[in-house]
Structure formats: C-alpha cells, structure tokens
Amino acid sequence: MKRMTPLSSGEGALLYETLATRLAEAIDSGSVKAGERLPSVRTLSRQYGVSISTAVQAYRQLEDRRVIEARPKSGYFAAAVRPPLPEPRESKPPATARYVVTSQLFLEYFNILDRPDIVPLGALRPDPSLLPTRKLASLLGLAARRHADLAASYSASAGTERLRRAIARRAFDYGCSFHAADVVITDGCVDALNLCLRAVAKAGDTIALESPTYFVMLQMIESLGMKAFEIPTNPRTGLSLEAFEFATRRKGTVKALMLTPSFTNPTGALMPDGNRKALAELCEKRGIPIIEDDIYGDIWFGEARPLPVKAWDKTGNVLLCSSFSKTIAPGFRVGWAAPGRYRDAVAVLKRIGSLFTPPLPQLALAEFVETGGFDHHLRKLRKSLAERQQRLADLVAESFPKGTRMSRPSGGYVSWVELPGKADAVDLFRKARDQSILLAPGPLFTTTGRFKNAIRLNYGSHWSREMEQAILRIGRMASE
Amino acid sequence: MKRMTPLSSGEGALLYETLATRLAEAIDSGSVKAGERLPSVRTLSRQYGVSISTAVQAYRQLEDRRVIEARPKSGYFAAAVRPPLPEPRESKPPATARYVVTSQLFLEYFNILDRPDIVPLGALRPDPSLLPTRKLASLLGLAARRHADLAASYSASAGTERLRRAIARRAFDYGCSFHAADVVITDGCVDALNLCLRAVAKAGDTIALESPTYFVMLQMIESLGMKAFEIPTNPRTGLSLEAFEFATRRKGTVKALMLTPSFTNPTGALMPDGNRKALAELCEKRGIPIIEDDIYGDIWFGEARPLPVKAWDKTGNVLLCSSFSKTIAPGFRVGWAAPGRYRDAVAVLKRIGSLFTPPLPQLALAEFVETGGFDHHLRKLRKSLAERQQRLADLVAESFPKGTRMSRPSGGYVSWVELPGKADAVDLFRKARDQSILLAPGPLFTTTGRFKNAIRLNYGSHWSREMEQAILRIGRMASE
C-alpha cells in the first residue's frame, strides 16, 4: 500500500469517515488486493497523520461495512472477494387455474407493514432520501397557488392533459407510440392495474400471472372473484414463454395475462427483448390482452432502459400501467394506464371508481418531469440502488447459510433469496417479527403455498446500519 | 310605493344594480304587493335621482330576474306570486332484481359532461365560488412545506389519523359514536361506496336501491356484475319502508341496501327520523347491511342537520360513506367510510384498490375542519344554495309547461322535475345538447327505462345569467 497525502476531513464528514472512504476506494480500485493485509493501526496513523483513535474508528467502520475483516491477533485484511451466490431456480407451479384464497399470512404481513418501529427489509418502498421530496413539495405548493380553482372543481376522469402529454412524450423515447388521449391517469399503479383488469375480465375468468408474483395482484384477483393461473417463471428471464404458450393452447382457458416484464416483483427478472416481441405476437394472435406493469421500467442498472412489451404492440392489445411512486413521489398516488383498445372502458371504470385523480399533484409531477431534472434524478437514483443491491448481496453472501441462492436483478428494488434445505420462510418471518424486522416470506407470492424456503429482500428502503444489522441477523437466524 | 332616499352606487355595484336591488327588496318585504303596478321610468328616475337610462336598466334587470313583469303599453308590475309546483309522484318500479346494463344514453351524457362550453344545468357540482378555494389551496401549500416527507412515503391504507379523528368528532355531533380507528379515508365518496359494496357483496348478488337513484351507483353495480333491485321511493320522504320490507321478506333476496337518506340524488328526498330508526332495525334483523351515502348530510336548509341512519345503528351494520367534495374541495378527492363491522374488510380492499389516499390533502382538510371555520363556511354555503333553489323553482314555475311537477328538497344540490303528458326527456336532453345545455334525463337514474318524462336540475353549479336563460329555454323547449 502506497503512502498517501495527509488527510483533512471533507465537507460535513468526520475525519475517520474521510479516511475510511479513502481506504475503501483503494480497495475498490484494486490498489489493495482482496485478502491483502492492511497496515497496523499505528502505521496507518503515521501514514495519514491522524490520531490512533481516528485510525481505529476508520477500520471499525470498514469492518462494519464488510469492506475489511479483522483476524484475531493478525490485524486487518481487505475482505476476500466472494463468488456471487447462485441464482434461484425457475418456478414449477401446478398447471391449473384456481380461485385465490389468500391465507392468514397476508394479514400477518400487512398488520406489521406500517409499524413505525419495524426495519422494512421485507417492504418494497423507495428510501425517501433518494427522492426529490423538497422539490416536489414545493412544486405542489406552487400548483396549489397557481391553480387554486382546481381544488374546487371536478375534473375529467382521464386526468390532466399536461401530465398525459408528458407521459406520452417520455414513452415515445422507450419505443411506445401512444398519444396523450390514449392515457388515463390513475391513483397510483395499483389503481391502474385494477381498472385494466376489470376492463378485460370479469368474475370467474382466469388471469395468467408470473410465479412468484406481486401479492397485491393475487389479492386483486381474489377480490374480483377471478381465478389465477401461475405460469413457470425464470428468476432471470421472467415468464416462461413455452409454458405460457402451452397453457393457452385451448381458446378461452386464459382471459388475460398480467405481468411485470421489467424487474418483476419479487424476483427482479428482466424478460429479454426477443421474448417480449414473441409474447406480444402470441397474445395478439390468441386474443389474450396483456396487462403490463412497467412500474420499475425506469429503474435499470444496465446499458439502456428496457422497452416495454407495449413497444411491440401493433393493435392496442397491451394495457401498459405505471406510476411515479417508485421514481418520484409515492405519497402523491399518481399512476397511469395506456390501455390501448381498452382505453374507453378504463376511463369509464375510472369514473365509476373514484371520478378522477386529484389534478394538483398531477401538475406538480408534470412540471418536474418536463423541467425539473427528472433524468438527472433517475441517474442518481439508479446509481444508489445498484450500489445498495451490491451491498445487500455482500451481506447475504457473508451471513446466509451455505447453499443460499439469490437473484441479482439488473434493476428494480428487490432480490429473491432461496434458502437451502428445509428452511421455513414463514417461521423465519415470525421470528424476524419478534425482533422488529419485516420480511416478505415466499408463500405471499403465490396462491399455491409454494416458495416455502424463499424470501424477498428489499435494498431500496432507507439504508442504515440498522438495516445491515438486520440482514446479518436474518442470515444468522436462517443458519440456525 | 314610498319615496326613497337618493341613491349612490354601492361598493363594486353599478348604480342601476343598486337600484334594482333596492326595488327587489321592497317587493320581497311586501311593501310593494305581488301584481302591483310600479312607477313609470320617468317617475322612478325622479324619485331616486338617477338618469332615465339607469331606471330603464334597473327595470330590465328585474324583468330578467322575473321579479317584475313588463306588460305591453301598461308599464311594469311586481310579478304575481305563483303557488309552488306540485311534487312528483312516488315511483313504482317493477318488483324484480335485474342485472344492470346501462344504455347508450350514459355515454351520451358523460361525453358532454366535461365540455367547457356547456351550461351545466344537468351536472351535480358545487359552484367553486361558494367553496373556500384560496384557503384550501394555501393550506395544501402549507401541508406540503411542513410535511414534505409525506410526498415521498407510503402511508397506512386507512388514512391520516388526524383527519380520521376530526371526522369522528364531527360525526359525534350528529348522533354517530364511532372512533378514528373505525374510519377509512378514501378517494372521494364514490371510492367509499365502491369499497363498501365490495366488502358486503359479490358478483351475482342483489343490491336494493332507491328509485330513481344516483346513476354512478347503477354503473358500479353493473361493473361488479351485481343485480339492482329498485325500491319505490317518495320524492319527499325517500325509500318506501313498506315496499322494502315486503321485498326483503324472503331471506337472501337482497344482499345489501345502498341509499342516500338525506337529500338523495336525484329527487332530494329526506327520509324522516322514524323511518331511519325502523330501517336500521329491520336491516339488522334481516341481516342486510346498509351502505349509507351521507354526502349531502351537511347541506340542510331546515332546522338542524339530519342524523344519518348510522345514528340508530347498534351493531355496526351500517357502512356510512361521505366526503368533502360537496362542502369544501371536490378537486382533493378525499372521502371516507365508517364501515362498522366491515371496517377491516374495507381497509383491505382500499389497500388492494389504490394502497392509500394521498395524505397531504388530508392534512389540509383536517386543518380547515378543525380551525378554518368549517361551520361558518357551511352556513354561508347552505344559505346560498337555498336561495338558488328558490330562484330555480321560480324560473321553472315561470317557464315550464302547465302540469309540471317539481321536488323542493330541504337540502342538497338538485331538484327532480316531472314534465306533463307525453314529454320525452331524452329527446329534450338531445335538443338541449344542441344548444350547449347539459340536462340529466330521467332514464339515467334507473335500470328499467322509466322516468322518461323527468329531468334532474341542479341549482348548485355556478349561477349566472346564462344559467337562468338556459332554464327558461328548457322550459320553452319542454312546452313545444
């Protein structure tokens, strides 16, 4: 390790934090190799011109962050590089549709979801500190002053023209050519999914889903008296096209397909472009509308934003749904649908459902999207999330039992973890709850009781020492 | 007519307007009798020390307002007092439940509802100028500054504690003893009705309704695959208890009752207290939950606020729904339900439906309700609406054909008008549309095609000369 220049603490940072950052950079850049021995505390203190206690604190922080390891009586070493955990396996649901009857487990999960004292490792919620909160609040205040009349008026059910235009314009950049008039603004993405589902299917109809799938989709299907048909899904490439093709050979078996092709919840799978094109064509040919949840589409860590299946839709058969809840302002509850040929049906259902979505937050969002640096914000958000995913993966590799598998999505907010052997995720969920940690156990994501050994972990919530400790604790609990 | 003091124009008013107001007061107070001859223009000009042209303008305005009448070659007379129009008759729907299939007419109506050039005589929307718009917008701005974090967070599905407390506290004053924890905040009243309906019934079930009834209730029932059972309803006293009792003798015929006991839409009927008590008891005994729409409960013109049926509910069988859309801020889309024993089911459906209602508008409303002069505002609002109802009744009496019947509700926003003979309300709706006037024709309010000769008129929208002209024009068209 080369001698470096003496330190002065950076803006807002304590001296030991600045030192820790400098050391971590040296390790990240490879100028200190994995497993290499680090200077003694005394040497470090001399090299950087800091006190012994500052050097100790820096090493402790790096140890907490798993960047270095302390070996008793030998000193500190750069952490060994671990090979990434293997991926979870493709799911194998039974090939039948069934009415959804959600279990007691759903109640248990939702009963603690909003507990203020709980560490939200099993929630899927963006960290407020990653969102442009002050800016949005100030834009809302501005909209309220400028358009006070909108507080006192009924608006059109489809939503504010300006925001619908902004959405259509952005969607054009990712391959979708619909217009403002094709968009219906909704109360978040969940409202959009509901409306689209009700526009294409009724009680008794069968809806095909990924497996595992977002539990609120299961609850929607249950509450509407529909049946769920879970389709085998690969944790990296998403819905199995072969299985879906097979399941839909008999006309009328499946009324609609609802899926999240980009960074699906809970596995984070990303469907390849070729599959998207083939899926759009197959569904069009078989008369099966696709309800596409693209809520994580903007949260990509790779080369470019994934194109929605909608980009291959030539006939209005894809009902694209999204929102601003995972990118800007969950508390505004503004989502949207571009429901293709079902646009009018969705607009009618929107009016019957809640008349219209409040216009003032829509104007604040339109302003932010058009002129507030949305793209700049997204770049920062993606970078933070990618880093946190890496950190989560390191901590899981460090603390979870041997044989654990874990998805490493190229976007989104969550990873899917499969525990080895006879691990019981529901039991783990309850034990974690006793320690004020929220987990999302696998059986929440199916109507068949499978995924008993899986949990969904979230790296997008507020990241803290408490969160890291919680991950390590879960790892230890899973190892017992 | 006594000589009065010379005039100077009042604040903001033109001289002729001040004069017209003075004359109208003299007629209203009885110091000029109905049918009495008024001074000539020349005499008036001398009496009040105004120009001839000012006197002429004052008389013209009073003529437009139907306060006076011009008789060719005889001069001006105080308008004759008309006896109030007779009330519409009790409805007689067929005694069967049926699936709702809304007609083309619904589309025609909603297609023009939001047209900016249309005179909204057939809409049910509060006049923004009667609402505390600036105040609310400023409270929203304040909430956004103070609680910016809420824009970036997910909230609990039941809504903001503070608003739920304020709602429970007010409800206590009108006879309901539920707590904040019993309330679920929703996206307006329509969302509340939907959630409650889905909590108590499923596709195929039969819902009893008033007849005529609010058309969105029919559309909800249609969209959920339920059946509607329309119950005879009196335009003054509301739902016929006898008919409802008879219709529900066989267990299981009716799954739930959804009604608006206070100032129902479209007739404005107010159910007497005795009937409310009896209805609460009957439904409890027969196991039929009551979804009570109380959205107009605060808009009473009589002695005191009507108590909801919920006030007689001892077992949580009444699901009370309301909102702030008809009293404060339609554009905020904040409503609520106090669903009694169905509270948890409604909270779950709320989460599945749109996760939660945005918290910042809830905080602005809570602030207004607690400290912003809500009661003072309501007094002014009720007074204006009562005056406008009187004005509407005068204009209808003046211009509609002989034999017209009209409800004179003691609260709310609308009157129900029955035209004589073979009048065709749908034809009238289309002719009115050609003249950019929106009407709400009777068949919108039933699933049975009845009320062909009825229309709903709204006196709560922005009141203008244009609106008055529209009423007179409709009267003339109906007379042709």
Side-chain angles (χ1 to χ4, degrees):
Chain A
M1 193 166 177
K2 282 190 303 183
R3 158 91 204 233
M4 300 196 184
T5 49
L7 279 187
S8 62
S9 61
E11 198 191 329
L14 297 169
L15 192 56
Y16 78 87
E17 287 175 337
T18 310
L19 175 56
T21 304
R22 195 73 75 81
L23 292 170
E25 282 166 4
I27 292 168
D28 272 359
S29 70
S31 70
V32 178
K33 299 276 174 296
E36 187 180 327
R37 191 173 181 192
L38 295 163
S40 71
V41 166
R42 193 169 305 269
T43 312
L44 191 69
S45 137
R46 239 188 359 254
Q47 278 183 343
Y48 286 88
V50 297
S51 71
I52 296 282
S53 107
T54 298
V56 167
Q57 277 183 293
Y59 272 162
R60 286 205 182 133
Q61 193 188 53
L62 289 172
E63 194 188 354
D64 282 347
R65 287 169 52 192
R66 297 285 181 289
V67 176
I68 65 172
E69 294 170 352
R71 297 189 196 149
K73 300 185 186 162
S74 309
Y76 292 95
F77 295 79
V81 172
R82 290 165 207 284
L85 295 178
E87 286 184 329
R89 281 162 284 228
E90 181 160 313
S91 66
K92 289 185 185 134
T96 51
R98 59 181 73 199
Y99 284 106
V100 181
V101 182
T102 53
S103 65
Q104 180 63 23
L105 183 61
F106 280 72
L107 275 185
E108 290 186 57
Y109 175 82
F110 285 110
N111 275 344
I112 57 171
L113 178 60
D114 294 314
R115 236 170 65 181
D117 66 319
I118 209 146
V119 183
L121 187 53
L124 196 169
R125 298 179 164 186
D127 178 357
S129 79
L130 298 180
L131 302 181
T133 312
R134 297 250 142 245
K135 175 92 183 173
L136 256 288
S138 123
L139 289 175
L140 179 60
L142 191 68
R145 281 198 302 283
R146 280 200 192 148
H147 305 280
D149 55 309
L150 291 177
S153 323
Y154 281 82
S155 297
S157 295
T160 305
E161 167 80 11
R162 191 170 156 209
L163 182 60
R164 290 189 282 126
R165 264 207 316 269
I167 288 165
R169 205 176 292 134
R170 283 193 75 83
F172 186 76
D173 292 342
Y174 50 81
C176 300
S177 55
F178 52 79
H179 303 284
D182 301 318
V183 177
V184 176
I185 303 293
T186 60
D187 301 332
C189 193
V190 166
D191 185 31
L193 294 172
N194 255 299
L195 297 172
C196 289
L197 194 52
R198 292 175 60 192
V200 302
K202 58 181 193 313
D205 286 341
T206 293
I207 311 300
L209 299 163
E210 292 156 296
S211 180
T213 192
Y214 176 34
F215 43 70
V216 172
M217 288 183 181
L218 293 174
Q219 291 179 297
M220 269 181 215
I221 288 174
E222 178 183 35
S223 77
L224 294 169
M226 299 172 185
K227 291 182 206 164
F229 195 153
E230 299 181 37
I231 306 291
T233 300
N234 183 290
R236 184 152 34 88
T237 58
L239 189 85
S240 161
L241 255 191
E242 296 70 20
F244 178 73
E245 190 281 324
F246 188 75
T248 57
R249 276 191 192 169
R250 187 148 25 133
K251 197 171 158 59
T253 320
V254 165
K255 186 74 179 189
L257 168 65
M258 180 156 65
L259 84 173
T260 312
S262 298
F263 320 121
T264 192
N265 174 5
T267 65
L270 177 69
M271 182 181 263
D273 279 359
N275 287 16
R276 292 176 190 239
K277 180 168 185 287
L279 183 66
E281 287 167 1
L282 177 69
C283 284
E284 174 55 37
K285 206 169 100 194
R286 296 199 173 162
I288 300 171
I290 300 174
I291 301 171
E292 178 176 22
D293 176 5
D294 192 45
I295 191 167
Y296 309 109
D298 282 321
I299 313 291
W300 44 275
F301 308 152
E303 293 297 302
R305 190 198 194 287
L307 307 189
V309 175
K310 179 85 178 166
W312 286 274
D313 174 28
K314 298 198 179 87
T315 60
N317 192 48
V318 177
L319 300 89
L320 183 65
C321 298
S322 191
S323 87
F324 298 96
S325 301
K326 299 295 188 256
T327 50
I328 311 184
F332 276 17
R333 309 304 310 128
V334 176
W336 55 272
R341 72 167 86 115
Y342 300 93
R343 188 266 171 205
D344 289 349
V346 167
V348 167
L349 285 168
K350 172 68 199 166
R351 199 188 53 242
I352 301 172
S354 62
L355 302 191
F356 59 94
T357 293
L360 291 174
Q362 294 181 51
L363 289 178
L365 284 168
E367 183 71 29
F368 183 76
V369 169
E370 283 169 359
T371 64
F374 188 30
D375 287 303
H376 173 72
H377 158 66
L378 283 178
R379 274 196 300 277
K380 282 199 309 182
L381 175 63
R382 289 194 300 259
K383 183 161 177 293
S384 301
L385 290 172
E387 283 167 7
R388 290 180 181 188
Q389 190 199 73
Q390 173 64 51
R391 187 80 192 111
L392 171 69
D394 288 349
L395 292 168
V396 169
E398 156 87 18
S399 62
F400 275 55
K402 198 165 171 317
T404 295
R405 294 167 169 269
M406 181 181 191
S407 71
R408 293 291 303 272
S410 54
Y413 278 86
V414 288
S415 278
W416 184 241
V417 174
E418 260 179 35
L419 302 167
K422 287 201 192 298
D424 182 341
V426 173
D427 187 53
L428 196 60
F429 160 77
R430 292 185 184 135
K431 281 185 185 147
R433 180 179 59 189
D434 294 342
Q435 304 201 23
S436 293
I437 299 169
L438 176 72
L439 283 187
L444 278 183
F445 301 92
T446 176
T447 181
T448 64
R450 290 167 302 123
F451 310 121
K452 286 195 168 65
N453 66 334
I455 54 174
R456 185 194 70 183
L457 297 181
N458 153 39
Y459 48 82
S461 290
H462 178 60
W463 198 265
S464 60
R465 201 183 145 83
E466 202 186 13
M467 180 71 102
E468 301 204 341
Q469 299 291 351
I471 297 163
L472 297 175
R473 235 143 94 198
I474 297 299
R476 281 195 300 271
M477 281 158 62
S479 307
E480 277 164 11
Chain B
M1 192 167 178
K2 283 191 306 184
R3 160 90 203 233
M4 300 191 182
T5 48
L7 280 186
S8 62
S9 59
E11 198 190 329
L14 296 169
L15 193 55
Y16 78 89
E17 287 174 337
T18 309
L19 176 56
T21 304
R22 196 72 76 82
L23 292 170
E25 281 165 4
I27 292 168
D28 273 358
S29 69
S31 69
V32 177
K33 300 275 173 296
E36 188 180 325
R37 191 173 182 191
L38 295 163
S40 71
V41 166
R42 193 167 303 270
T43 311
L44 190 71
S45 136
R46 235 185 5 249
Q47 278 181 343
Y48 285 87
V50 299
S51 71
I52 294 281
S53 107
T54 297
V56 166
Q57 278 183 292
Y59 273 160
R60 285 205 183 137
Q61 193 189 53
L62 290 172
E63 193 189 354
D64 282 347
R65 287 168 53 191
R66 296 290 181 284
V67 176
I68 64 171
E69 294 170 353
R71 296 190 197 151
K73 299 189 184 157
S74 312
Y76 290 97
F77 295 79
V81 173
R82 290 164 208 283
L85 293 179
E87 285 183 332
R89 282 162 282 227
E90 182 159 314
S91 67
K92 292 186 183 131
T96 50
R98 59 182 73 199
Y99 284 106
V100 181
V101 182
T102 52
S103 64
Q104 180 63 23
L105 183 60
F106 281 72
L107 275 185
E108 288 185 58
Y109 175 80
F110 285 109
N111 274 345
I112 57 171
L113 178 59
D114 294 314
R115 237 171 64 182
D117 66 319
I118 210 147
V119 183
L121 188 53
L124 197 169
R125 297 181 165 186
D127 178 356
S129 80
L130 299 180
L131 302 181
T133 313
R134 297 251 143 242
K135 174 92 182 171
L136 256 288
S138 124
L139 289 175
L140 180 60
L142 191 68
R145 280 197 303 283
R146 282 201 191 146
H147 305 280
D149 55 310
L150 291 176
S153 323
Y154 282 81
S155 297
S157 296
T160 305
E161 167 79 12
R162 191 171 156 209
L163 182 60
R164 290 188 283 125
R165 263 206 317 270
I167 288 165
R169 207 176 289 136
R170 284 192 75 82
F172 186 77
D173 292 342
Y174 51 81
C176 300
S177 55
F178 52 79
H179 303 284
D182 302 318
V183 177
V184 176
I185 303 292
T186 60
D187 300 332
C189 192
V190 166
D191 186 30
L193 294 172
N194 255 298
L195 297 172
C196 289
L197 194 53
R198 292 174 61 192
V200 301
K202 59 180 194 312
D205 287 340
T206 293
I207 311 300
L209 298 163
E210 293 156 296
S211 180
T213 193
Y214 176 32
F215 43 69
V216 172
M217 289 184 180
L218 293 174
Q219 291 179 298
M220 270 181 214
I221 289 174
E222 178 182 36
S223 79
L224 295 168
M226 298 170 185
K227 291 182 206 164
F229 195 154
E230 299 181 36
I231 306 292
T233 300
N234 182 290
R236 183 149 39 85
T237 57
L239 189 85
S240 161
L241 256 192
E242 296 70 20
F244 178 72
E245 189 281 324
F246 188 76
T248 57
R249 276 193 192 169
R250 186 144 32 128
K251 198 172 157 58
T253 320
V254 164
K255 187 75 181 189
L257 167 65
M258 180 157 64
L259 84 172
T260 312
S262 298
F263 320 121
T264 192
N265 173 5
T267 65
L270 177 68
M271 182 181 262
D273 278 0
N275 287 16
R276 290 175 192 240
K277 180 167 184 288
L279 183 67
E281 287 166 2
L282 178 69
C283 284
E284 175 54 37
K285 206 169 99 193
R286 297 199 171 163
I288 300 171
I290 300 175
I291 302 171
E292 178 176 20
D293 176 5
D294 191 45
I295 191 167
Y296 309 110
D298 280 322
I299 314 290
W300 42 277
F301 307 153
E303 292 297 303
R305 190 198 194 285
L307 307 188
V309 175
K310 178 85 177 166
W312 286 274
D313 174 28
K314 298 197 180 87
T315 60
N317 192 48
V318 177
L319 302 89
L320 183 65
C321 299
S322 190
S323 87
F324 298 97
S325 301
K326 300 294 189 254
T327 50
I328 311 184
F332 276 17
R333 308 303 313 127
V334 176
W336 54 274
R341 75 168 83 114
Y342 300 94
R343 188 268 172 203
D344 289 350
V346 167
V348 167
L349 285 168
K350 173 67 199 168
R351 199 190 53 243
I352 302 172
S354 60
L355 301 191
F356 60 95
T357 293
L360 291 174
Q362 294 181 51
L363 289 179
L365 284 168
E367 182 72 28
F368 184 75
V369 169
E370 284 169 359
T371 65
F374 188 29
D375 288 302
H376 173 72
H377 159 65
L378 283 178
R379 275 195 300 278
K380 282 198 308 181
L381 176 62
R382 289 194 299 260
K383 184 162 177 291
S384 301
L385 290 172
E387 285 167 6
R388 289 179 183 187
Q389 189 200 72
Q390 173 64 51
R391 187 81 193 112
L392 173 68
D394 289 348
L395 292 168
V396 169
E398 157 88 19
S399 61
F400 274 56
K402 198 163 172 311
T404 296
R405 293 167 171 270
M406 181 181 192
S407 71
R408 292 290 302 272
S410 54
Y413 278 86
V414 288
S415 279
W416 183 243
V417 174
E418 261 180 36
L419 302 168
K422 287 200 191 296
D424 182 341
V426 173
D427 186 54
L428 195 60
F429 160 77
R430 291 185 184 135
K431 280 185 184 146
R433 180 178 59 192
D434 293 343
Q435 301 201 25
S436 292
I437 300 169
L438 176 72
L439 282 187
L444 277 183
F445 301 91
T446 178
T447 179
T448 64
R450 289 167 304 125
F451 308 120
K452 285 195 168 68
N453 66 334
I455 54 175
R456 185 194 69 183
L457 297 181
N458 153 39
Y459 49 81
S461 290
H462 178 59
W463 198 265
S464 60
R465 200 183 146 87
E466 204 184 11
M467 182 70 102
E468 300 205 341
Q469 299 291 349
I471 297 163
L472 299 175
R473 235 144 92 196
I474 297 299
R476 281 195 299 273
M477 280 159 62
S479 309
E480 275 162 15

